[in-house]
Structure formats: C-alpha cells, structure tokens
Amino acid sequence: MRGLKAVVAVAAAMAVVEANGVIGDPLAIIIKLPSMNIPVPSHESVEVTSSARKPAIASSSSVYVTPTPSSSSSVYVTPTPSSSAYVTPPPEPTTSSSSEVAPPPASSSSVYSDEPQATQAPQGDIPDGQGNTFTVPPGAVKFPWNYNNADNVVPLTPGSQNGGWAMSPNQMCKPNSWCPYACAPGYYSAQWDPSAVLYNGAGSMNGGLYADANGVLSKPNKDAAFCVRGMGNARIRNTLGESVSACQTVYPGNEAMIIPSVAGAGGSVDLNIVPSTYWLGTSSQFYVNLRGSSAEQCVWGDSDKPVGNWAPYIFGGGQAKDGNTYISVQFNPLYTSAGFSVSDAYNVEIVCDGGACNFPEGGKCKCEGGKCSVDNGCTVTLGAGASASFVLY
C-alpha cells in the first residue's frame, strides 16, 4: 500500500508465558501495523508489509477495487436487502483463484471451546438456498442462505457474481475452493480451513465453507456454529445526526473491508470482537466511514473517495491469551495523505461502559481533529466483564 505497513489491529502490553514456563516478552508475535500491534499466538516477531497482508490497489482506478492475490481487480458495493445496485465489475479474471486448494482434513473438534460467549448449539446442516433468488453464474456454487436466516449469516451483493458470498462481486464460489460468508454485527464466522496455519500465504484466504470438485459444500469445523457471538464487550455509539458504517475485513479471506456494521443516527451497533480462540489468534479490524455512510460504502475504495481503505478511522479489537480484550482507534493516515479534509471527519473517544477498563497514560483514548491522544492511535484494555463504546461525536 505504497509503503504503508499493513493495516490495523490491537496493541497489547501483556506478558506471555514462554514455552519454558517463564514470563517472557510482553508481545507474543507482533504484526506491525500503521499505529498498533496485535498479539497473536507465537513467539517470534514478524513484520508484515501491506503487499503481503492486503491486496494491491490499482492506483489509477476510479472505481472501488478489491484485487485478490491471484486476480487483476474486482469491484465491491454492498446493497441493502431491497437493493441489488452494484458497480459493474471488470471482466472475470483469467487466472485461477488462490483459494483453490485441497479439501480440509476431517475435523470434529470445536474451534472455539474456550469462548465464553459461544452459547449457540452448532448447526449441522448447510441449507440449500432457503428459496433465495441470488445470482448463480454458470460454474458457480449457490449461496446456501437467504436473508433473515437463523444462522446469523448475512448475504453480500447477491445480484453480483459472488451471489451472496463474502467475496468481491466478480469473484465466484467455485468447485475446489473455499468460499467465505459474512455474519451479522457482533458475530464471527467459525468456519475456516483447520489446516491453515500461516497468517499470510497459503491458507490465509481459506475461510468459510469448502466446495469440493462437484460443488458440494462442507462444513470444516463440524462442532461449531456457522456464526458465533463475539466477545460482546465493544460497540459503536453514534451521537451524530447521520448513520456511520464500520466495515470489517474478511480474514481468513481476501481481506477486503466488505462486512458492514451500521450505527444509525443516534444509535449504536455491536462490533464483532473475536475471542482468543479465533483463527490463529488474529483480531478484528474495521474501516469506519464518514457520517452519512451506509452498508454500500463498505468497499475497498481508492484514493479518490474517502471510503473503505481510505475511510477516516480504523478500529481494532480482539481478546488476547491473557483473557483481556484490547480495543483501539487510529486516525487513518491514508485519509489525510490522499488530501481529504480532517474537518469533514467526526471525533471518536473510547468510553468505559462498566468494569475494569485500563486507559493509556492520561486516562483518555480519543481522536479529535485528525490527531489522537496517543501518537498513531491508542489502545484500551478491557478486563473480564468490562465493556466499552467507541463514541462518535
């Protein structure tokens, strides 16, 4: 991303127990991001550049582009259930998808057994479409759900080639590939390739369900629900007079910021803060658009438009192995470097709603006028039972 280090997550100043039982380096493994670091379960430090963590950007494009590692470009606009509007995608890439891999090994173990919020009984059967009339291009695998399903799965751009899957609109769910799906605000997908053990490279796009050579879908983590309630301890509280959309990245998946959580004017919305048992201990990241935005602005974007990757704010959150949850806010440096007006952006403050919340020195974590109370963004630690809000004002 033009030299910018890979995108957001959570800084965690916590101690970890090394393999020999000694309290060691306070950060287990650090994915270095523009302003924040995130602990994930390992004991070596890695630095990830944007070209490794995120798809490349077509700098000359004037449309919202979500390239994947194996395709030239794609376009994403998320419609509401009553709308099928989307930007006409470019021609289908001729290269094969990097998500086409061998099927997952048989697994019946729960991937979130330590998750305190995971109270849903595992749903066993994959639906057959539930009567949806979503687009199914020749050679594509049909999206199994309809709107308002009991599994908390949210279809994305069902009128495009992706037909509801959490993929770019000119991407299809094809046989011999992994097909990710989106969950409702506050929920995370508990299905991914159990053999994927790399943050980047092979397996990092293998989220969701697996489609075999005949296009038959299978559920890799059979004891897990399709969508599981997250930590439930962080939300957006919008005091503005217009709605604001927070756009979560798909990971494992193509990492485009296309999963919407919209806080209406004067309202609030839960954020999907994942537990420590989420895939490889990674966190959630959200690109938060300007006031007046909706789910349709949950797109990759480009430097001509202050949406998606060029939204004014980046929020991050996740539970660490120490049991604490770390949430953070950063003013997106791409927003200002592209020349967008700081005065157009609202302000954000993380406010403790209850329980033990540990703030940075000074007792505040907020961003006003394009600057944050801690340089390059700040992080708040939530102890067990604590909760907090990202207050927009």
Side-chain angles (χ1 to χ4, degrees):
M1 202 165 299
R2 296 184 186 133
L4 184 66
K5 294 219 170 40
V7 196
V8 72
V10 184
M14 67 175 190
V16 297
V17 179
E18 300 291 349
N20 59 9
V22 177
I23 299 299
D25 188 336
L27 296 179
I29 182 175
I30 304 302
I31 298 178
K32 294 189 177 178
L33 305 163
S35 67
M36 289 163 279
N37 297 329
I38 173 172
V40 289
S42 179
H43 303 291
E44 57 182 333
S45 180
V46 295
E47 185 170 281
V48 182
T49 63
S50 59
S51 60
R53 283 277 297 168
K54 306 297 293 183
I57 296 296
S59 59
S60 61
S61 172
S62 61
V63 296
Y64 305 131
V65 179
T66 309
T68 61
S70 60
S71 65
S72 58
S73 65
S74 57
V75 186
Y76 203 100
V77 174
T78 305
T80 59
S82 61
S83 171
S84 60
Y86 61 97
V87 178
T88 303
E92 180 69 11
T94 57
T95 55
S96 61
S97 170
S98 63
S99 61
E100 295 183 6
V101 295
S107 171
S108 61
S109 62
S110 173
V111 296
Y112 60 93
S113 58
D114 295 331
E115 165 54 51
Q117 300 290 334
T119 58
Q120 298 93 328
Q123 297 95 325
D125 296 332
I126 298 173
D128 62 358
Q130 300 178 334
N132 78 51
T133 56
F134 303 162
T135 296
V136 186
V141 178
K142 183 178 178 65
F143 189 69
W145 291 275
N146 208 335
Y147 289 110
N148 302 317
N149 56 77
D151 294 325
N152 292 300
V153 174
V154 176
L156 301 181
T157 53
S160 299
Q161 299 254 346
N162 64 310
W165 297 100
M167 304 167 75
S168 301
N170 70 337
Q171 285 184 297
M172 299 187 301
C173 172
K174 297 179 180 179
N176 294 317
S177 68
W178 288 87
C179 304
Y181 55 86
C183 294
Y187 288 77
Y188 66 90
S189 169
Q191 300 297 323
W192 56 76
D193 181 356
S195 69
V197 295
L198 298 175
Y199 302 102
N200 306 286
S204 65
M205 295 190 52
N206 297 354
L209 306 180
Y210 182 77
D212 68 14
N214 296 314
V216 177
L217 294 167
S218 63
K219 186 181 181 185
N221 301 312
K222 300 185 186 303
D223 290 346
F226 294 106
C227 292
V228 172
R229 178 77 170 145
M231 296 302 296
N233 54 3
R235 62 201 51 82
I236 291 176
R237 190 175 355 136
N238 180 13
T239 69
L240 305 172
E242 298 175 89
S243 64
V244 173
S245 57
C247 309
Q248 185 184 346
T249 57
V250 183
Y251 192 58
N254 69 2
E255 297 192 71
M257 55 292 291
I258 57 180
I259 302 176
S261 296
V262 181
S268 63
V269 65
D270 286 346
L271 290 176
N272 166 31
I273 306 299
V274 293
S276 62
T277 49
Y278 187 66
W279 182 69
L280 301 186
T282 52
S283 68
S284 304
Q285 61 187 49
F286 306 84
Y287 290 76
V288 189
N289 289 315
L290 291 169
R291 72 186 79 200
S293 56
S294 67
E296 293 188 359
Q297 279 72 55
C298 285
V299 297
W300 181 267
D302 61 40
S303 59
D304 292 332
K305 304 174 180 66
V307 299
N309 196 51
W310 280 264
Y313 286 103
I314 307 172
F315 297 170
Q319 184 192 40
K321 292 297 184 184
D322 63 357
N324 292 322
T325 297
Y326 298 86
I327 60 174
S328 26
V329 57
Q330 172 197 14
F331 199 84
N332 187 357
L334 288 182
Y335 179 86
T336 50
S337 66
F340 299 122
S341 174
V342 170
S343 63
D344 289 342
Y346 44 82
N347 301 315
V348 177
E349 181 173 6
I350 297 179
V351 174
C352 188
D353 294 331
C357 304
N358 185 23
F359 286 82
E361 184 176 354
K364 295 286 186 181
C365 181
K366 64 180 180 179
C367 298
E368 293 182 330
K371 295 182 179 180
C372 298
S373 52
V374 176
D375 289 344
N376 299 322
C378 50
T379 300
V380 174
T381 305
L382 306 180
S387 62
S389 294
F390 293 83
V391 179
L392 315 184
Y393 60 98

